[in-house]
Amino acid sequence: VPMSAMWVPGGFFGGTHVRVDYKADVRESASVAHIYGQNLVAAESMTSAGQLWGWYPQTLKPTADMELASGVNRFVIHESAHQPVDNKIPGFTLGPFGQTFNRHETWAKEAGPWMNYLARSSYMLQQGHFVADIAYYYGQDSNITGLFNRKLPTIPEGYAYDFVNAEALINEFSVKNGLIVTPSGMSYRVLELGPNIRYMTMSVLRKIQQMVTDGAIVVGKKPIGTPSLSDNEQEFQTLAGKLWANEDGVNNIGKGKIYAGYSVGMALTSQDIMPDFQYSKPYKGTRLLYVHRRMGNKDIYWVDSRNDSVQNVQATFRVNGKTAQIWNPVTASIQEASYNIKGGFTTVPLHLEPHGALFVVFQNQAKEASRTVAAPTEQQLATINGPWEVHFQADRGAPVEARFNSLSEWNKSSDKGIKYFSGTGTYTKTIDAPASWFNHGGQLWLDLGTVKDIARVVVNGKSMGITWKIPFRVNITKAMKRGSNTIKIEVTDLWVNRLIGDEQPNVSKTYTWTSFPIKTFYQADTPLKPSGLLGPVRVIKIEK
């Protein structure tokens, strides 16, 4: 199984975005899998450095989604140190490294939905074959993470690509019906020669000649020589001169062409190869990534928003004659989608939550060119105000119970036990549901507003599920009844505040133990993290 690595941003290396060399590293492993017929692409995943116990699902998701966008479909989470005892918490670490994904993490018991998200996404992206238009040949004299540690290849938006090296080019690639194909089932429209191929061996040059003669489309500048002392330089120059007779235009050779002096985007346009994925940009900075896999007659697109705000876009897919469905990897729901088929492409309206990701699946034959599915309507029924009774997890320094007249951050409490609390606090409130809430059908949802950092909702003793990302909402329809209802919201924050609390001067009792010196990361004056249920908590009705 080809494997790579991707770390979360920050830590020892700084920055607020995933480093480019990690993206290149993952894409290299994915390219190997695609070319050689492996459907699995693994990665040491979401590794951190310097922020022990500082991560939770919502903050990990952008990195996990970047892994998926780069080709990963098997997560090997870094790391899970063994925790043999229960009286030393949060416990053992791998030195300063890792997101400490183990049973002593505060949100360990709430991790199921996060794992389900990763599992569903991975499973879907293990199906069929990766769809790419460009095979990007990067040369023979340096590795991918060395070449692309600051900037990935400049590929036009809406086209996917795989890296290819000389061995794969020579032994795995051939041309059939104008497409560049591999025995594994991959196909590409164009072979792009990256800028690092000014020198290439005679065997690579001959392979390019063969492919173009057989019908391949090649984009790139004329190589200037061979790096091999065993090659005949005069033979190389003669063949290169023949293939690139026009160094600034199109060279027709056999059934194929070499575009010299063209960008790959210009060559794709010249060949009438339209983007596989396009989208409207109604907001400043709207940015979506995608992955396309094809399994038989089914086209599976994964679409990921890189924005921290809601995005409503019109997405256009290079698919014709099929209806569209939205498969949600967070909720596991499958819904029919609106679509419009025109000119061999299908446009689908997409609603993406902050850092949201969805699958758009095309598999059923369309009986009509367009379909409109009414968007759900949302009505606010009530805002649940205080007071709230809050019960805190034992042996973490907080009082057993506290009364919150209004929702506020634990870390701003005047009670030091609450201020530095890490663990689960359970908010309890009894509300009255009038008969009007249940009229005309629809679903009742509890919207928690802002949560720091993960929450489970229990209604009348029935668990309604865990919510771990924006929007923090759960469907409470099955448990709600007319009249009195007891709402419990179990909110879990991170270890960070308790670790900082234990570093305060003149502390008589501490509650945490770590194998790595915690003062390396958290001191008495380190800012506390916002924690608790911040709301507003609302009951809403959604009708479809």
Side-chain angles (χ1 to χ4, degrees), residues 293-307:
R293 295 188 73 92
R294 182 176 293 130
M295 181 175 63
N297 194 45
K298 180 186 294 186
D299 285 277
I300 300 170
Y301 286 84
W302 177 79
V303 180
D304 168 48
S305 171
R306 304 308 297 174
N307 299 88

Side-chain angles (χ1 to χ4, degrees), residues 315-326:
T316 300
F317 304 86
R318 199 170 60 197
V319 174
N320 187 32
K322 300 175 186 177
T323 62
Q325 293 178 321
I326 304 297

Side-chain angles (χ1 to χ4, degrees), residues 100-136:
T100 62
F101 186 73
N102 59 65
R103 70 190 185 96
H104 284 335
E105 178 59 90
T106 55
W107 49 270
K109 292 183 179 180
E110 289 76 37
W114 168 233
M115 293 294 96
N116 288 340
Y117 171 78
L118 297 179
R120 291 186 190 113
S121 301
S122 297
Y123 177 79
M124 292 289 286
L125 294 175
Q126 292 169 10
Q127 306 306 306
H129 288 91
F130 180 60
V131 177
D133 291 305
I134 301 164
Y136 186 96

Side-chain angles (χ1 to χ4, degrees), residues 245-451:
N246 184 350
E247 295 191 36
D248 293 310
V250 181
N251 297 270
N252 294 287
I253 300 162
K255 298 178 181 179
K257 297 178 180 179
I258 293 180
Y259 284 86
Y262 279 61
S263 68
V264 68
M266 294 166 60
L268 289 165
T269 300
S270 179
Q271 290 293 124
D272 291 324
I273 302 172
M274 298 298 291
D276 190 20
F277 176 71
Q278 303 174 74
Y279 59 94
S280 63
K281 297 181 179 180
Y283 313 106
K284 182 179 180 180
T286 296
R287 181 174 177 237
L288 307 184
L289 300 178
Y290 85 102
V291 176
H292 180 191
R293 295 188 73 92
R294 182 176 293 130
M295 181 175 63
N297 194 45
K298 180 186 294 186
D299 285 277
I300 300 170
Y301 286 84
W302 177 79
V303 180
D304 168 48
S305 171
R306 304 308 297 174
N307 299 88
D308 58 6
S309 59
V310 170
Q311 303 291 308
N312 291 294
V313 303
Q314 297 291 321
T316 300
F317 304 86
R318 199 170 60 197
V319 174
N320 187 32
K322 300 175 186 177
T323 62
Q325 293 178 321
I326 304 297
W327 294 28
N328 189 324
V330 174
T331 64
S333 65
I334 298 176
Q335 297 178 336
E336 298 298 323
S338 300
Y339 67 84
N340 182 53
I341 301 171
K342 184 177 181 181
F345 294 83
T346 304
T347 299
V348 180
L350 296 180
H351 174 82
L352 290 155
E353 297 293 347
H355 289 293
L358 297 169
F359 286 93
V360 184
V361 178
F362 301 89
Q363 60 180 332
N364 299 319
Q365 194 69 27
K367 296 180 180 179
E368 50 193 2
S370 65
R371 176 179 68 191
T372 301
V373 177
T377 60
E378 184 175 307
Q379 176 188 3
Q380 180 174 325
L381 300 178
T383 298
I384 303 177
N385 297 312
W388 294 83
E389 300 299 326
V390 183
H391 183 278
F392 289 98
Q393 184 175 350
D395 301 320
R396 300 291 174 87
V400 174
E401 291 182 333
R403 184 181 179 90
F404 282 57
N405 290 323
S406 61
L407 295 176
S408 60
E409 299 175 20
W410 296 340
N411 53 292
K412 293 183 178 179
S413 174
S414 59
D415 185 317
K416 290 186 178 180
I418 298 175
K419 180 177 182 178
Y420 297 115
F421 175 76
S422 292
T424 301
T426 302
Y427 294 73
T428 302
K429 179 80 176 178
T430 299
I431 66 170
D432 186 73
S436 60
W437 288 9
F438 304 89
N439 294 340
H440 312 298
Q443 297 177 343
L444 297 178
W445 286 70
L446 193 67
D447 187 311
L448 305 183
T450 300
V451 174

